[in-house]
Amino acid sequence: PTNRHLYPTGGTDLAIHKSAGPALDEFCEALTPLALGTAKITPAFNLPCKYVIHTSGPVWHGGDNGETQLLVSCYNECLKLAKENDCETVAFPLISSGSYGYPKDKVLKIAISTISTFLFDNEMTVYLLVYDKKSYEVLKAILTITMCSVAATIIVRCGTHAVVSQRKTLTATVLCLICVCQHLVLKKTMHLCHLLRAARRRKALTN
């Protein structure tokens, strides 16, 4: 997640730019402005991956100003670019849930729904990253109350303990690793996260 100027000011965006090095900043200067709900792709430079996909997420203004449509578009445009560039994996944070104030429970629902819809027709491994205890508690509540259209195997990781919770339905399979930590350490998190499996495989297994 970033802003229309592709200039990092904090959170995940700043961590990515710091780890990628100054070459990423220079590359991004030529891509501005980045319209809300759209995405652009760049080389990853010093990061342990091939690309960085940048998207401009909405600021939360109460939910009646097109925020949902813009956030769905952010995830869809990123997934589209990942597919066009033959990415086998892609990792997402909770877009706009930090300084932009978008409620974490709403972002989680939108992220899971949008990614699952994409995976139903596309083969890709998608990581959904959650970094704090509050988000972890929110996700647990979502899975308990509202996850009825997505088959989910949730791997919850807290320290050295892992708990697996599973519920099955007829559509996609979502796997999330919840990283409960106080600070974002990008290179380590790239290896800590678990994944959202492609829905085609899960659909094939149920047939």
Side-chain angles (χ1 to χ4, degrees), residues 17-204:
H17 278 257
K18 281 186 175 180
S19 297
L24 180 59
D25 295 331
E26 295 173 8
F27 198 98
C28 285
E29 287 180 6
L31 301 179
T32 59
L34 179 62
L36 283 174
T38 65
K40 293 185 179 180
I41 193 167
T42 68
F45 298 102
N46 294 335
L47 289 168
C49 55
K50 190 172 183 179
Y51 301 111
V52 175
I53 300 176
H54 311 260
T55 187
S56 183
V59 175
W60 178 254
H61 291 295
D64 297 322
N65 295 278
E67 295 99 318
T68 298
Q69 292 84 351
L70 286 169
L71 189 58
V72 169
S73 179
C74 286
Y75 282 103
N76 276 328
E77 290 300 306
C78 289
L79 289 165
K80 180 181 176 182
L81 280 175
K83 181 180 178 181
E84 290 175 353
N85 287 273
D86 300 318
C87 297
E88 296 180 358
T89 63
V90 62
F92 284 107
L94 300 183
I95 298 169
S96 287
S97 68
S99 59
Y100 284 8
Y102 211 117
K104 292 179 184 295
D105 60 332
K106 297 182 184 300
V107 179
L108 279 163
K109 291 176 184 177
I110 290 170
I112 291 171
S113 174
T114 307
I115 293 168
S116 298
T117 299
F118 173 83
L119 291 178
F120 198 79
D121 294 313
N122 296 278
E123 186 77 14
M124 191 180 294
T125 297
V126 179
Y127 298 81
L128 184 59
L129 315 187
V130 178
Y131 298 108
D132 59 89
K133 189 174 181 179
K134 181 179 179 180
S135 299
Y136 155 67
E137 295 294 342
V138 169
L139 182 57
K140 282 205 307 182
I142 290 174
L143 293 170
T144 301
I145 298 170
T146 64
M147 287 278 294
C148 56
S149 63
V150 178
T153 302
I154 303 303
I155 301 177
V156 179
R157 185 181 183 90
C158 182
T160 58
H161 303 284
V163 179
V164 178
S165 171
Q166 186 172 29
R167 55 186 305 180
K168 297 179 180 179
T169 58
L170 298 178
T171 56
T173 295
V174 181
L175 288 97
C176 306
L177 179 63
I178 314 309
C179 303
V180 181
C181 56
Q182 295 180 346
H183 302 285
L184 187 153
V185 184
L186 189 67
K187 290 186 179 180
K188 290 185 179 179
T189 0
M190 292 292 291
H191 297 91
L192 275 176
C193 323
H194 226 283
L195 45 94
L196 289 153
R197 282 292 185 192
R200 277 186 183 170
R201 290 182 181 173
R202 295 296 179 251
K203 184 179 179 182

